[in-house]
Amino acid sequence: MTTGGTETDLRVVSEREFLDELTSVTRERGATEFLYLMAQGDGVIGVQWEQPGLDHLRRYRVRGPACPHCVIFEAVLALAPVLPLDLMRTARTRPQYETVLRTGRLPHLAFARPVGQPGASWLGDCHAVTGDPHTDADCPRHAVPAPSGDPLDLRLGSLPRAIRELYPHDAAATADLQQRLRIARDWRADAQAVASGVREAAATWAFLRNSCVLGVPVPGANGLVLTLPPARAPDDRPLAELHATAVRALPAGGPVAYQERACLVPEPAAGAQRMPSYAGALDLTGAAPVRTLRLPAPRRPLSTTGRGVLLLYEARHAMGRHFASAPERDSAYWESEAALNVFEFTLLERVAGRHYQEAVAAYLQALRREGDLLARPHKVLDRRRRKALSLAFGGLDGEELHLWASVAYRNAILVLLGDLKAFAAHLRRQAA
């Protein structure tokens, strides 16, 4: 990829001039395949149009008072009819961007032209880049201080009253919470190892590392948790009062779709569940809906690489479920599911390398030979390929080997279809 037409000089413009130039250049560059709107620090907004063999970057600062983050949202609205972006993707950009902003990283909105779909909505995502995203020009909503410390660094000497009510005595509470923290830190460490150096995983890892506090489920009540943010004075309210307050805070129609908070909910008791999972819940501590990532204690240990991929996948799932999403009958829902699958495929390509790619190639060859979905996909990988895939993860038992082989099969279906929209339609048919 060559870099041409790059204008490195900073252009200081009014908001109107910025929006007009953004839309006019986008129209002129009709061969653009990727478009980036990037917070670059010090109030600078970078815009990059990528065409085959050519990148074109311009850097802007909008004359104030103007919050650069609000300007980027206005830019998305201006671009929506030009690219185009459908209503769902336009609405998603703000929560995706603000999720990254709250982790103390620089948010980079990325838009991609759909392959072979003239006039269809462009795809959208938000990446995270290391750097300080804040300036004195930030509006009150976006002047969020960068997170400091570790949300899992808790002082267990003085616990909230509601937490203590869940245990027969304080020593039992401390021992249980210490075990939960160990489980959470172990899962998170595996996710960090997988995300390291993978650009596509940077935003997800930042969310997992900086935004997820410890959550403790309320026994006998599905969907209720107590969160334990660090550096907060112990709450002396009883559990019943917290519950009543949280219920009163909900709208009449039930839990709101937007979930600002997120937490890790480790399960010390070994059960049937082996893999992490995302679920919405109600946080009694904050009297608000919360996104939870459930982390089971190892019943049969997964590979450390597999654990990292699975937790990053579920964290990505949680990141995309904190705003009003499309119903399952809507094609936008399934396109989001397809993008989530592609995120998993990308992780596996990076961590399992050629052994994973060889498994995908074997499934692709079988699909082309059979001319339809495979009747016996478990028969495709021979002993050599199964052993190679297992070794790429440091060794796998039969159940986990089957899991990653099935992901490689889905990856091969995407390659065969050659288009994200067609793959989304496939996922929809499979679910039905």
Side-chain angles (χ1 to χ4, degrees), residues 6 38 90 95 121 161 267 307 328 331 347 354 376 405 407 420:
T6 301
M38 304 173 288
T90 302
S121 174
R161 177 176 172 179
E267 299 286 358
R307 281 162 52 99
E328 291 192 21
S331 60
L347 292 178
R354 64 182 180 85
R376 296 191 296 173
V407 176
L420 195 65

Side-chain angles (χ1 to χ4, degrees), residues 56-67:
H56 183 79
L57 171 67
R58 293 189 183 183
R59 300 169 66 245
Y60 301 88
R61 180 180 288 119
V62 176
R63 287 193 293 269
C67 171

Side-chain angles (χ1 to χ4, degrees), residues 1 4 6 13 28 30 43 46 75 95 98 101 132 151 175 188 193 216 230 246 281 284-285 308 311 333 357 398:
M1 177 73 71
T6 301
V13 295
E28 290 168 7
E98 290 180 342
L101 189 64
D132 184 359
R188 208 179 60 174
V216 179
L284 301 188
T285 303
L311 182 52
Y333 171 89
Q357 293 167 352

Side-chain angles (χ1 to χ4, degrees), residues 65-391:
C67 171
H69 310 295
C70 291
V71 170
I72 287 176
F73 298 142
E74 290 299 318
V76 172
L77 295 177
L79 283 171
V82 179
L83 291 179
L85 294 174
D86 62 24
L87 184 62
M88 181 63 64
R89 289 183 178 85
T90 302
R92 283 177 175 172
T93 54
R94 178 185 287 270
Q96 288 176 326
Y97 183 102
E98 290 180 342
T99 292
V100 172
L101 189 64
R102 283 191 294 273
T103 70
R105 302 287 191 96
L106 292 166
H108 285 192
L109 291 174
F111 301 103
R113 183 191 298 275
V115 178
Q117 300 289 330
S121 174
W122 281 41
L123 309 175
D125 198 1
C126 188
H127 301 157
V129 176
T130 299
D132 184 359
H134 298 298
T135 70
D136 292 340
D138 289 4
C139 69
R141 177 184 176 98
H142 296 127
V144 184
S148 60
D150 187 336
L152 296 184
D153 281 345
L154 301 177
R155 295 193 303 269
L156 301 180
S158 54
L159 297 171
R161 177 176 172 179
I163 289 286
R164 297 199 310 270
E165 289 180 18
L166 303 181
Y167 301 90
H169 47 78
D170 286 0
T174 300
D176 182 71
L177 293 175
Q178 285 175 337
Q179 188 177 4
R180 291 179 187 273
L181 285 169
R182 279 196 299 270
I183 294 170
R185 288 171 182 146
D186 287 348
W187 275 98
R188 208 179 60 174
D190 292 337
Q192 181 181 16
V194 169
S196 179
V198 181
R199 178 172 180 256
E200 294 86 348
T204 309
W205 165 245
F207 163 75
L208 187 60
R209 167 60 178 78
N210 297 326
S211 300
C212 296
V213 301
L214 183 70
V216 179
V218 178
N222 288 334
L224 298 182
V225 299
L226 290 162
T227 56
L228 286 169
R232 178 181 289 184
D235 192 326
D236 200 42
R237 291 175 294 170
L239 182 60
E241 181 181 337
L242 290 180
H243 184 267
T245 301
V247 170
R248 283 197 303 269
L250 294 175
V256 295
Y258 188 90
Q259 298 176 16
E260 183 78 20
R261 297 169 175 81
C263 66
L264 303 177
V265 183
E267 299 286 358
Q273 186 64 23
R274 195 180 185 195
M275 296 186 291
S277 59
Y278 159 77
L282 180 63
D283 173 21
L284 301 188
T285 303
V290 64
R291 293 166 279 169
T292 71
L293 290 167
R294 308 285 172 140
L295 307 177
R299 175 174 59 95
R300 293 197 310 278
L302 293 162
S303 66
T304 56
T305 298
R307 281 162 52 99
V309 172
L310 287 167
L311 182 52
L312 287 168
Y313 175 89
E314 291 301 336
R316 185 77 164 197
H317 189 186
M319 286 179 70
R321 290 292 178 268
H322 70 301
F323 52 88
S325 57
E328 291 192 21
R329 65 177 180 276
D330 194 335
S331 60
Y333 171 89
W334 292 104
E335 289 174 24
S336 294
E337 291 296 301
L340 186 62
N341 274 260
V342 171
F343 174 73
E344 186 177 32
F345 301 158
T346 301
L347 292 178
L348 289 170
E349 286 177 357
R350 299 297 175 85
V351 299
R354 64 182 180 85
H355 299 305
Y356 174 75
Q357 293 167 352
E358 287 174 359
V360 173
Y363 281 112
L364 182 60
Q365 184 180 27
L367 284 165
R368 286 173 172 158
R369 184 171 60 246
E370 200 153 318
D372 201 348
L373 294 180
L374 303 179
R376 296 191 296 173
H378 59 285
K379 296 289 188 180
V380 169
L381 299 185
D382 58 24
R383 180 176 298 178
R384 180 187 66 80
R385 287 196 179 98
R386 288 197 301 272
K387 182 178 180 180
L389 186 59
S390 176
L391 290 176

